[in-house]
Amino acid sequence: MRGRYALLSVLLLATGCGIRPTDVVEAGEPATVEVAPAGQLGTLLYFVSSSTASRLLPVIRPVDPKVYNSGTGWEADRLKGAPAALALLFGGPNRAERDAGLRSELPPSGRVKAGIELSAQGVKVTLNIPVVGLSQAARQQLICTAARARTADRTEAVTVSGTDGVIGPDHCSV
């Protein structure tokens, strides 16, 4: 009998705690974001958020189709295909991206030569700079950008070879 009163007391306390039931509150449609304007060429780059040391954020960088698809010479070659993404990545964030709090952990290098190929083992990137001493965030910038540029699949294994050795294979952590 005493157990019943204890149970009844607990139930009364639980139901009388002052929280009243409410109806469903409509919050509207989910937010939508225009990632890239329709019909515009772009490449996906990964930069580091200034608010945290290791959080990567993807950025779509528009590419001028006249430059992307035309001509000869170093500038046109640099902006064609998958190496274009790495060339733009090593160029660092533009002013608008910097103003939004993005930065790069990669060394600034205007003349990085990059080769990217897809093999049975994944994406292979070859650079003419040292890579072994890069920070983890810089490595992930390279790996995520290369994986998306070459395969449109950031889960692809990426190996990066530089003048001082090899990093990877590794996967994009974003």
mmCIF file of all heavy atoms in Angstrom, residues 18-64:
data_model
loop_
_atom_site.group_PDB
_atom_site.id
_atom_site.type_symbol
_atom_site.label_atom_id
_atom_site.label_comp_id
_atom_site.label_asym_id
_atom_site.label_seq_id
_atom_site.Cartn_x
_atom_site.Cartn_y
_atom_site.Cartn_z
ATOM 1 N N GLY A 18 4.532 22.204 -14.161
ATOM 2 C CA GLY A 18 4.344 23.510 -14.756
ATOM 3 C C GLY A 18 4.528 23.584 -16.261
ATOM 4 O O GLY A 18 4.420 24.654 -16.829
ATOM 5 N N ILE A 19 4.818 22.508 -16.928
ATOM 6 C CA ILE A 19 4.979 22.521 -18.374
ATOM 7 C C ILE A 19 3.644 22.186 -19.001
ATOM 8 O O ILE A 19 3.063 21.144 -18.731
ATOM 9 C CB ILE A 19 6.054 21.514 -18.821
ATOM 10 C CG1 ILE A 19 7.389 21.890 -18.207
ATOM 11 C CG2 ILE A 19 6.134 21.455 -20.340
ATOM 12 C CD1 ILE A 19 8.491 20.889 -18.468
ATOM 13 N N ARG A 20 3.163 23.095 -19.798
ATOM 14 C CA ARG A 20 1.868 22.884 -20.436
ATOM 15 C C ARG A 20 2.072 22.411 -21.867
ATOM 16 O O ARG A 20 2.998 22.841 -22.544
ATOM 17 C CB ARG A 20 1.084 24.181 -20.425
ATOM 18 C CG ARG A 20 0.740 24.597 -19.008
ATOM 19 C CD ARG A 20 -0.262 25.733 -19.021
ATOM 20 N NE ARG A 20 -0.662 26.015 -17.662
ATOM 21 C CZ ARG A 20 -0.383 27.138 -17.034
ATOM 22 N NH1 ARG A 20 0.271 28.093 -17.641
ATOM 23 N NH2 ARG A 20 -0.789 27.309 -15.799
ATOM 24 N N PRO A 21 1.202 21.569 -22.331
ATOM 25 C CA PRO A 21 1.326 21.108 -23.714
ATOM 26 C C PRO A 21 1.030 22.246 -24.683
ATOM 27 O O PRO A 21 0.260 23.159 -24.380
ATOM 28 C CB PRO A 21 0.278 20.001 -23.825
ATOM 29 C CG PRO A 21 -0.692 20.264 -22.726
ATOM 30 C CD PRO A 21 0.074 20.959 -21.641
ATOM 31 N N THR A 22 1.668 22.205 -25.853
ATOM 32 C CA THR A 22 1.439 23.219 -26.885
ATOM 33 C C THR A 22 1.138 22.532 -28.200
ATOM 34 O O THR A 22 1.412 21.349 -28.384
ATOM 35 C CB THR A 22 2.684 24.112 -27.082
ATOM 36 O OG1 THR A 22 3.761 23.296 -27.533
ATOM 37 C CG2 THR A 22 3.070 24.828 -25.802
ATOM 38 N N ASP A 23 0.587 23.319 -29.110
ATOM 39 C CA ASP A 23 0.355 22.821 -30.460
ATOM 40 C C ASP A 23 1.666 22.858 -31.231
ATOM 41 O O ASP A 23 2.647 23.481 -30.818
ATOM 42 C CB ASP A 23 -0.691 23.694 -31.172
ATOM 43 C CG ASP A 23 -2.074 23.547 -30.543
ATOM 44 O OD1 ASP A 23 -2.358 22.476 -29.973
ATOM 45 O OD2 ASP A 23 -2.846 24.526 -30.627
ATOM 46 N N VAL A 24 1.652 22.228 -32.387
ATOM 47 C CA VAL A 24 2.821 22.240 -33.268
ATOM 48 C C VAL A 24 3.034 23.662 -33.764
ATOM 49 O O VAL A 24 2.097 24.336 -34.173
ATOM 50 C CB VAL A 24 2.615 21.276 -34.466
ATOM 51 C CG1 VAL A 24 3.750 21.395 -35.453
ATOM 52 C CG2 VAL A 24 2.455 19.855 -33.967
ATOM 53 N N VAL A 25 4.287 24.117 -33.722
ATOM 54 C CA VAL A 25 4.623 25.462 -34.186
ATOM 55 C C VAL A 25 5.243 25.345 -35.578
ATOM 56 O O VAL A 25 6.261 24.689 -35.756
ATOM 57 C CB VAL A 25 5.617 26.145 -33.222
ATOM 58 C CG1 VAL A 25 6.020 27.514 -33.739
ATOM 59 C CG2 VAL A 25 5.022 26.231 -31.832
ATOM 60 N N GLU A 26 4.618 25.970 -36.563
ATOM 61 C CA GLU A 26 5.138 25.947 -37.927
ATOM 62 C C GLU A 26 6.306 26.912 -38.030
ATOM 63 O O GLU A 26 6.207 28.066 -37.645
ATOM 64 C CB GLU A 26 4.039 26.352 -38.928
ATOM 65 C CG GLU A 26 2.904 25.352 -39.026
ATOM 66 C CD GLU A 26 3.325 24.023 -39.629
ATOM 67 O OE1 GLU A 26 4.244 23.991 -40.463
ATOM 68 O OE2 GLU A 26 2.731 23.004 -39.254
ATOM 69 N N ALA A 27 7.406 26.434 -38.582
ATOM 70 C CA ALA A 27 8.601 27.274 -38.709
ATOM 71 C C ALA A 27 8.882 27.660 -40.147
ATOM 72 O O ALA A 27 9.847 28.339 -40.426
ATOM 73 C CB ALA A 27 9.803 26.536 -38.134
ATOM 74 N N GLY A 28 8.088 27.227 -41.083
ATOM 75 C CA GLY A 28 8.302 27.591 -42.477
ATOM 76 C C GLY A 28 9.144 26.571 -43.217
ATOM 77 O O GLY A 28 9.465 25.500 -42.708
ATOM 78 N N GLU A 29 9.522 26.925 -44.427
ATOM 79 C CA GLU A 29 10.319 26.051 -45.277
ATOM 80 C C GLU A 29 11.773 26.047 -44.825
ATOM 81 O O GLU A 29 12.250 27.009 -44.226
ATOM 82 C CB GLU A 29 10.237 26.529 -46.733
ATOM 83 C CG GLU A 29 8.851 26.421 -47.333
ATOM 84 C CD GLU A 29 8.390 24.981 -47.464
ATOM 85 O OE1 GLU A 29 9.190 24.116 -47.862
ATOM 86 O OE2 GLU A 29 7.222 24.717 -47.145
ATOM 87 N N PRO A 30 12.504 24.975 -45.141
ATOM 88 C CA PRO A 30 13.929 24.966 -44.802
ATOM 89 C C PRO A 30 14.674 26.031 -45.602
ATOM 90 O O PRO A 30 14.259 26.410 -46.696
ATOM 91 C CB PRO A 30 14.385 23.556 -45.184
ATOM 92 C CG PRO A 30 13.338 23.018 -46.077
ATOM 93 C CD PRO A 30 12.083 23.744 -45.781
ATOM 94 N N ALA A 31 15.786 26.490 -45.053
ATOM 95 C CA ALA A 31 16.590 27.504 -45.721
ATOM 96 C C ALA A 31 17.210 26.935 -46.990
ATOM 97 O O ALA A 31 17.570 25.760 -47.044
ATOM 98 C CB ALA A 31 17.695 27.985 -44.788
ATOM 99 N N THR A 32 17.313 27.754 -48.005
ATOM 100 C CA THR A 32 17.995 27.354 -49.233
ATOM 101 C C THR A 32 19.099 28.354 -49.508
ATOM 102 O O THR A 32 18.993 29.536 -49.186
ATOM 103 C CB THR A 32 17.034 27.317 -50.441
ATOM 104 O OG1 THR A 32 16.467 28.608 -50.602
ATOM 105 C CG2 THR A 32 15.938 26.292 -50.240
ATOM 106 N N VAL A 33 20.165 27.864 -50.101
ATOM 107 C CA VAL A 33 21.315 28.689 -50.423
ATOM 108 C C VAL A 33 21.680 28.443 -51.873
ATOM 109 O O VAL A 33 21.774 27.290 -52.305
ATOM 110 C CB VAL A 33 22.520 28.320 -49.524
ATOM 111 C CG1 VAL A 33 23.745 29.113 -49.918
ATOM 112 C CG2 VAL A 33 22.176 28.540 -48.067
ATOM 113 N N GLU A 34 21.873 29.511 -52.641
ATOM 114 C CA GLU A 34 22.320 29.363 -54.011
ATOM 115 C C GLU A 34 23.831 29.190 -53.975
ATOM 116 O O GLU A 34 24.572 30.099 -53.614
ATOM 117 C CB GLU A 34 21.964 30.598 -54.834
ATOM 118 C CG GLU A 34 22.323 30.434 -56.287
ATOM 119 C CD GLU A 34 21.881 31.624 -57.109
ATOM 120 O OE1 GLU A 34 20.871 32.246 -56.778
ATOM 121 O OE2 GLU A 34 22.573 31.919 -58.080
ATOM 122 N N VAL A 35 24.294 27.992 -54.320
ATOM 123 C CA VAL A 35 25.712 27.680 -54.234
ATOM 124 C C VAL A 35 26.462 28.244 -55.424
ATOM 125 O O VAL A 35 27.506 28.841 -55.292
ATOM 126 C CB VAL A 35 25.920 26.154 -54.120
ATOM 127 C CG1 VAL A 35 27.381 25.812 -54.106
ATOM 128 C CG2 VAL A 35 25.243 25.639 -52.868
ATOM 129 N N ALA A 36 25.949 28.046 -56.618
ATOM 130 C CA ALA A 36 26.582 28.582 -57.817
ATOM 131 C C ALA A 36 25.493 28.998 -58.780
ATOM 132 O O ALA A 36 24.535 28.263 -58.975
ATOM 133 C CB ALA A 36 27.485 27.536 -58.460
ATOM 134 N N PRO A 37 25.632 30.153 -59.371
ATOM 135 C CA PRO A 37 24.616 30.584 -60.325
ATOM 136 C C PRO A 37 24.513 29.604 -61.490
ATOM 137 O O PRO A 37 25.515 29.044 -61.929
ATOM 138 C CB PRO A 37 25.132 31.943 -60.799
ATOM 139 C CG PRO A 37 26.061 32.398 -59.727
ATOM 140 C CD PRO A 37 26.648 31.152 -59.136
ATOM 141 N N ALA A 38 23.309 29.401 -61.971
ATOM 142 C CA ALA A 38 23.067 28.463 -63.066
ATOM 143 C C ALA A 38 23.876 28.862 -64.286
ATOM 144 O O ALA A 38 23.972 30.031 -64.634
ATOM 145 C CB ALA A 38 21.578 28.424 -63.398
ATOM 146 N N GLY A 39 24.472 27.873 -64.934
ATOM 147 C CA GLY A 39 25.206 28.096 -66.163
ATOM 148 C C GLY A 39 26.607 28.644 -65.967
ATOM 149 O O GLY A 39 27.298 28.919 -66.930
ATOM 150 N N GLN A 40 27.039 28.823 -64.723
ATOM 151 C CA GLN A 40 28.362 29.378 -64.478
ATOM 152 C C GLN A 40 29.327 28.260 -64.096
ATOM 153 O O GLN A 40 29.015 27.404 -63.272
ATOM 154 C CB GLN A 40 28.301 30.402 -63.351
ATOM 155 C CG GLN A 40 29.616 31.100 -63.116
ATOM 156 C CD GLN A 40 29.481 32.195 -62.075
ATOM 157 O OE1 GLN A 40 28.452 32.317 -61.420
ATOM 158 N NE2 GLN A 40 30.502 32.982 -61.915
ATOM 159 N N LEU A 41 30.508 28.253 -64.733
ATOM 160 C CA LEU A 41 31.529 27.280 -64.377
ATOM 161 C C LEU A 41 32.135 27.669 -63.044
ATOM 162 O O LEU A 41 32.296 28.852 -62.740
ATOM 163 C CB LEU A 41 32.636 27.247 -65.436
ATOM 164 C CG LEU A 41 32.281 26.632 -66.769
ATOM 165 C CD1 LEU A 41 33.460 26.763 -67.730
ATOM 166 C CD2 LEU A 41 31.913 25.170 -66.601
ATOM 167 N N GLY A 42 32.487 26.675 -62.260
ATOM 168 C CA GLY A 42 33.118 26.946 -60.979
ATOM 169 C C GLY A 42 33.906 25.742 -60.524
ATOM 170 O O GLY A 42 33.736 24.642 -61.041
ATOM 171 N N THR A 43 34.781 25.974 -59.592
ATOM 172 C CA THR A 43 35.549 24.888 -59.014
ATOM 173 C C THR A 43 35.444 24.971 -57.504
ATOM 174 O O THR A 43 35.318 26.063 -56.946
ATOM 175 C CB THR A 43 37.018 24.930 -59.495
ATOM 176 O OG1 THR A 43 37.684 23.755 -59.076
ATOM 177 C CG2 THR A 43 37.759 26.139 -58.987
ATOM 178 N N LEU A 44 35.451 23.826 -56.851
ATOM 179 C CA LEU A 44 35.274 23.763 -55.408
ATOM 180 C C LEU A 44 36.634 23.760 -54.731
ATOM 181 O O LEU A 44 37.468 22.887 -54.993
ATOM 182 C CB LEU A 44 34.482 22.510 -55.041
ATOM 183 C CG LEU A 44 33.986 22.415 -53.620
ATOM 184 C CD1 LEU A 44 33.019 23.551 -53.295
ATOM 185 C CD2 LEU A 44 33.275 21.089 -53.398
ATOM 186 N N LEU A 45 36.850 24.741 -53.869
ATOM 187 C CA LEU A 45 38.094 24.867 -53.108
ATOM 188 C C LEU A 45 37.771 24.748 -51.632
ATOM 189 O O LEU A 45 36.657 25.054 -51.205
ATOM 190 C CB LEU A 45 38.732 26.239 -53.363
ATOM 191 C CG LEU A 45 38.936 26.656 -54.805
ATOM 192 C CD1 LEU A 45 39.459 28.083 -54.870
ATOM 193 C CD2 LEU A 45 39.863 25.700 -55.520
ATOM 194 N N TYR A 46 38.742 24.324 -50.859
ATOM 195 C CA TYR A 46 38.555 24.220 -49.408
ATOM 196 C C TYR A 46 39.538 25.153 -48.715
ATOM 197 O O TYR A 46 40.747 25.057 -48.913
ATOM 198 C CB TYR A 46 38.773 22.775 -48.941
ATOM 199 C CG TYR A 46 37.643 21.870 -49.337
ATOM 200 C CD1 TYR A 46 37.582 21.304 -50.599
ATOM 201 C CD2 TYR A 46 36.605 21.599 -48.452
ATOM 202 C CE1 TYR A 46 36.525 20.484 -50.975
ATOM 203 C CE2 TYR A 46 35.551 20.792 -48.815
ATOM 204 C CZ TYR A 46 35.521 20.234 -50.071
ATOM 205 O OH TYR A 46 34.474 19.429 -50.431
ATOM 206 N N PHE A 47 38.982 26.065 -47.892
ATOM 207 C CA PHE A 47 39.798 26.971 -47.111
ATOM 208 C C PHE A 47 39.508 26.755 -45.636
ATOM 209 O O PHE A 47 38.525 26.119 -45.259
ATOM 210 C CB PHE A 47 39.526 28.425 -47.503
ATOM 211 C CG PHE A 47 40.047 28.773 -48.870
ATOM 212 C CD1 PHE A 47 39.177 29.117 -49.886
ATOM 213 C CD2 PHE A 47 41.405 28.751 -49.148
ATOM 214 C CE1 PHE A 47 39.640 29.431 -51.149
ATOM 215 C CE2 PHE A 47 41.877 29.062 -50.405
ATOM 216 C CZ PHE A 47 41.002 29.399 -51.410
ATOM 217 N N VAL A 48 40.365 27.315 -44.789
ATOM 218 C CA VAL A 48 40.265 27.137 -43.341
ATOM 219 C C VAL A 48 39.508 28.319 -42.756
ATOM 220 O O VAL A 48 39.781 29.470 -43.084
ATOM 221 C CB VAL A 48 41.674 27.044 -42.718
ATOM 222 C CG1 VAL A 48 41.587 26.817 -41.218
ATOM 223 C CG2 VAL A 48 42.483 25.930 -43.368
ATOM 224 N N SER A 49 38.566 28.012 -41.881
ATOM 225 C CA SER A 49 37.819 29.056 -41.189
ATOM 226 C C SER A 49 38.729 29.713 -40.162
ATOM 227 O O SER A 49 39.421 29.030 -39.416
ATOM 228 C CB SER A 49 36.607 28.442 -40.491
ATOM 229 O OG SER A 49 36.015 29.382 -39.633
ATOM 230 N N SER A 50 38.739 31.023 -40.123
ATOM 231 C CA SER A 50 39.567 31.742 -39.147
ATOM 232 C C SER A 50 39.050 31.576 -37.727
ATOM 233 O O SER A 50 39.770 31.797 -36.775
ATOM 234 C CB SER A 50 39.621 33.236 -39.488
ATOM 235 O OG SER A 50 40.332 33.408 -40.675
ATOM 236 N N SER A 51 37.788 31.158 -37.583
ATOM 237 C CA SER A 51 37.226 30.998 -36.240
ATOM 238 C C SER A 51 37.732 29.737 -35.555
ATOM 239 O O SER A 51 37.738 29.660 -34.345
ATOM 240 C CB SER A 51 35.700 30.994 -36.298
ATOM 241 O OG SER A 51 35.246 29.902 -37.070
ATOM 242 N N THR A 52 38.145 28.742 -36.334
ATOM 243 C CA THR A 52 38.718 27.525 -35.746
ATOM 244 C C THR A 52 39.920 27.113 -36.573
ATOM 245 O O THR A 52 39.951 27.286 -37.781
ATOM 246 C CB THR A 52 37.711 26.361 -35.726
ATOM 247 O OG1 THR A 52 37.314 26.074 -37.058
ATOM 248 C CG2 THR A 52 36.495 26.675 -34.886
ATOM 249 N N ALA A 53 40.906 26.544 -35.924
ATOM 250 C CA ALA A 53 42.168 26.243 -36.592
ATOM 251 C C ALA A 53 42.067 25.123 -37.625
ATOM 252 O O ALA A 53 42.845 25.065 -38.552
ATOM 253 C CB ALA A 53 43.223 25.881 -35.553
ATOM 254 N N SER A 54 41.124 24.223 -37.488
ATOM 255 C CA SER A 54 41.142 23.070 -38.376
ATOM 256 C C SER A 54 39.845 22.847 -39.148
ATOM 257 O O SER A 54 39.721 21.860 -39.851
ATOM 258 C CB SER A 54 41.461 21.813 -37.566
ATOM 259 O OG SER A 54 40.483 21.631 -36.570
ATOM 260 N N ARG A 55 38.883 23.730 -39.045
ATOM 261 C CA ARG A 55 37.609 23.530 -39.731
ATOM 262 C C ARG A 55 37.710 24.017 -41.169
ATOM 263 O O ARG A 55 37.955 25.189 -41.438
ATOM 264 C CB ARG A 55 36.499 24.265 -39.013
ATOM 265 C CG ARG A 55 35.168 24.019 -39.664
ATOM 266 C CD ARG A 55 34.046 24.543 -38.824
ATOM 267 N NE ARG A 55 32.807 24.302 -39.528
ATOM 268 C CZ ARG A 55 31.793 25.131 -39.526
ATOM 269 N NH1 ARG A 55 31.861 26.235 -38.835
ATOM 270 N NH2 ARG A 55 30.709 24.857 -40.193
ATOM 271 N N LEU A 56 37.523 23.092 -42.102
ATOM 272 C CA LEU A 56 37.549 23.453 -43.517
ATOM 273 C C LEU A 56 36.148 23.799 -43.988
ATOM 274 O O LEU A 56 35.175 23.179 -43.576
ATOM 275 C CB LEU A 56 38.057 22.276 -44.360
ATOM 276 C CG LEU A 56 39.510 21.890 -44.218
ATOM 277 C CD1 LEU A 56 39.859 20.806 -45.231
ATOM 278 C CD2 LEU A 56 40.430 23.049 -44.385
ATOM 279 N N LEU A 57 36.090 24.778 -44.869
ATOM 280 C CA LEU A 57 34.822 25.158 -45.469
ATOM 281 C C LEU A 57 34.973 25.158 -46.985
ATOM 282 O O LEU A 57 35.953 25.672 -47.507
ATOM 283 C CB LEU A 57 34.407 26.553 -44.997
ATOM 284 C CG LEU A 57 34.116 26.690 -43.514
ATOM 285 C CD1 LEU A 57 33.854 28.146 -43.162
ATOM 286 C CD2 LEU A 57 32.934 25.829 -43.117
ATOM 287 N N PRO A 58 34.002 24.576 -47.695
ATOM 288 C CA PRO A 58 34.071 24.583 -49.161
ATOM 289 C C PRO A 58 33.639 25.934 -49.716
ATOM 290 O O PRO A 58 32.753 26.596 -49.175
ATOM 291 C CB PRO A 58 33.087 23.482 -49.556
ATOM 292 C CG PRO A 58 32.120 23.417 -48.430
ATOM 293 C CD PRO A 58 32.869 23.813 -47.187
ATOM 294 N N VAL A 59 34.294 26.332 -50.791
ATOM 295 C CA VAL A 59 33.987 27.580 -51.475
ATOM 296 C C VAL A 59 33.926 27.284 -52.964
ATOM 297 O O VAL A 59 34.804 26.608 -53.498
ATOM 298 C CB VAL A 59 35.094 28.627 -51.217
ATOM 299 C CG1 VAL A 59 34.887 29.864 -52.072
ATOM 300 C CG2 VAL A 59 35.173 28.987 -49.754
ATOM 301 N N ILE A 60 32.886 27.757 -53.623
ATOM 302 C CA ILE A 60 32.838 27.620 -55.075
ATOM 303 C C ILE A 60 33.421 28.888 -55.669
ATOM 304 O O ILE A 60 32.933 29.984 -55.426
ATOM 305 C CB ILE A 60 31.416 27.386 -55.589
ATOM 306 C CG1 ILE A 60 30.957 26.019 -55.137
ATOM 307 C CG2 ILE A 60 31.378 27.509 -57.110
ATOM 308 C CD1 ILE A 60 29.647 25.587 -55.674
ATOM 309 N N ARG A 61 34.499 28.712 -56.411
ATOM 310 C CA ARG A 61 35.147 29.836 -57.067
ATOM 311 C C ARG A 61 34.722 29.846 -58.521
ATOM 312 O O ARG A 61 35.007 28.901 -59.258
ATOM 313 C CB ARG A 61 36.649 29.670 -56.941
ATOM 314 C CG ARG A 61 37.484 30.753 -57.575
ATOM 315 C CD ARG A 61 37.572 32.020 -56.744
ATOM 316 N NE ARG A 61 38.205 31.860 -55.459
ATOM 317 C CZ ARG A 61 39.522 31.913 -55.253
ATOM 318 N NH1 ARG A 61 40.343 32.090 -56.250
ATOM 319 N NH2 ARG A 61 39.998 31.773 -54.035
ATOM 320 N N PRO A 62 34.029 30.886 -58.944
ATOM 321 C CA PRO A 62 33.636 30.964 -60.359
ATOM 322 C C PRO A 62 34.867 31.027 -61.254
ATOM 323 O O PRO A 62 35.884 31.603 -60.895
ATOM 324 C CB PRO A 62 32.846 32.269 -60.446
ATOM 325 C CG PRO A 62 32.510 32.631 -59.041
ATOM 326 C CD PRO A 62 33.555 32.014 -58.177
ATOM 327 N N VAL A 63 34.769 30.407 -62.413
ATOM 328 C CA VAL A 63 35.855 30.404 -63.379
ATOM 329 C C VAL A 63 35.315 30.998 -64.671
ATOM 330 O O VAL A 63 34.247 30.619 -65.134
ATOM 331 C CB VAL A 63 36.373 28.967 -63.618
ATOM 332 C CG1 VAL A 63 37.435 28.944 -64.689
ATOM 333 C CG2 VAL A 63 36.909 28.379 -62.329
ATOM 334 N N ASP A 64 36.050 31.914 -65.241
ATOM 335 C CA ASP A 64 35.664 32.539 -66.503
ATOM 336 C C ASP A 64 35.759 31.494 -67.614
ATOM 337 O O ASP A 64 36.837 30.966 -67.875
ATOM 338 C CB ASP A 64 36.591 33.713 -66.806
ATOM 339 C CG ASP A 64 36.214 34.459 -68.064
ATOM 340 O OD1 ASP A 64 35.309 34.008 -68.799
ATOM 341 O OD2 ASP A 64 36.833 35.507 -68.311
#
